[in-house]
Amino acid sequence: MPRVSKRKSHPVKSSEPSPKKITKEVERIDSFFASYANTSIGMIDPEGVEKLCSDLSVEHTDVRVLMLAWKMNAKKQGYFTQDEWRTGLKSLHADTLKKLKKQLPELQKEVAMEENFEDFYSFSFRYCLTEDKQKNLDIETACVLLNLVLGPAYNLQVDSFIEYLKFQKEYKVINMDQWTNFYRFCQEIEFPDLKNYDDCLAWPIILDNFVDWLREKSTSA
């Protein structure tokens, strides 16, 4: 019977970071968190967020701050819990200010991806609901948010819709259904000619009224 030579097996190197390395990264992320956290409440509050923005050289109204909140899946506007901070920064592999600053352009690219943007767009609405059981945004807040989140990609549509929202008197607030359908409107409807807009389809009434207003404007121009 032929002899079978026994080969020494070599351990396969895993591409996954070791638990020790993960622990060190979390320690650094926690230390980074502590430099902005309000120790009396155990989270980063609006003052801490403002300091973070200053250190990142961005305005607190910059859309990248909203993107960062999305990445952390933050629940309350102007506040980051330690768990939220860990979630976002671990995902970004940013355990220092320098690394976080470097990751901001990558975060913008990530949000701009079609499969992510719709989620970010919906998140931005929910994030601005600052009161308990609040379900709608007042028109002024909605206009600012639309300009911030959707303005860069759909400038003409957003500018026109904001003009209409400020002109009309019927609606005092915007709900999530109206918010999400305006994004669908921007994606699907030819603008500014509106040739493929069919008001028999299931569009919110506010968008039917918006289109009527636009058509009246174009005929009277």
Side-chain angles (χ1 to χ4, degrees):
M1 192 173 179
R3 292 178 64 188
V4 179
S5 61
K6 290 183 180 179
R7 284 179 153 180
K8 287 184 179 179
S9 61
H10 297 284
V12 178
K13 288 184 179 178
S14 170
S15 59
E16 295 293 318
S18 68
K20 195 173 182 180
K21 190 174 181 181
I22 291 171
T23 304
K24 287 289 184 188
E25 183 187 35
V26 171
E27 282 178 5
R28 288 192 296 271
I29 287 171
D30 285 352
S31 176
F32 189 16
F33 174 84
S35 62
Y36 297 102
N38 180 332
T39 52
S40 65
I41 58 172
M43 63 175 71
I44 296 173
D45 61 9
E47 194 175 320
V49 172
E50 202 165 315
K51 183 176 184 295
L52 174 66
C53 292
S54 175
D55 291 347
L56 289 170
S57 303
V58 298
E59 294 291 328
H60 70 279
T61 53
D62 193 299
V63 71
R64 289 171 292 181
V65 180
L66 191 56
M67 290 175 179
L68 194 56
W70 169 77
K71 194 66 178 172
M72 294 184 195
N73 196 21
K75 298 292 185 289
K76 187 176 180 183
Q77 192 183 73
Y79 293 84
F80 298 141
T81 68
Q82 190 161 6
D83 283 344
E84 289 167 352
W85 182 266
R86 281 179 182 169
T87 297
L89 271 65
K90 274 174 74 177
S91 182
L92 290 168
H93 303 292
D95 53 19
T96 64
L97 180 69
K98 186 178 179 181
K99 287 180 185 176
L100 181 55
K101 196 179 270 192
K102 194 176 177 181
Q103 283 300 319
L104 288 181
E106 296 306 312
L107 179 57
Q108 285 180 279
K109 288 178 190 172
E110 183 183 347
V111 169
M113 293 168 72
E114 195 174 338
E115 63 268 30
N116 293 328
F117 186 80
E118 192 167 350
D119 185 62
F120 169 70
Y121 181 74
S122 297
F123 168 85
S124 67
F125 183 93
R126 293 192 305 272
Y127 190 62
C128 289
L129 301 174
T130 54
E131 303 296 327
D132 287 344
K133 298 183 180 178
Q134 184 183 348
K135 293 184 177 179
N136 305 314
L137 289 179
D138 64 84
I139 293 295
E140 188 178 348
T141 301
C143 289
V144 171
L145 194 59
L146 276 170
N147 201 39
L148 184 69
V149 174
L150 212 51
Y154 297 102
N155 195 350
L156 281 176
Q157 292 93 322
V158 169
D159 282 354
S160 295
F161 193 46
I162 287 174
E163 186 185 347
Y164 167 72
L165 289 175
K166 290 180 176 179
F167 164 81
Q168 60 82 39
K169 304 296 179 193
E170 188 177 349
Y171 296 90
K172 305 295 181 190
V173 295
I174 295 286
N175 63 36
M176 176 63 100
D177 182 61
Q178 294 162 340
W179 177 262
T180 52
N181 270 284
F182 180 65
Y183 176 51
R184 183 165 72 91
F185 174 92
C186 291
Q187 289 179 299
E188 296 178 10
I189 302 304
E190 293 172 24
F191 200 88
D193 59 44
L194 308 167
K195 283 178 184 174
N196 63 334
Y197 187 86
D198 184 351
D199 54 16
C200 293
L201 297 179
W203 292 103
I205 293 171
I206 193 171
L207 290 178
D208 289 341
N209 294 346
F210 170 51
V211 169
D212 288 344
W213 177 78
L214 284 170
R215 284 171 174 161
E216 283 176 22
K217 268 186 74 177
S218 65
T219 54
S220 61

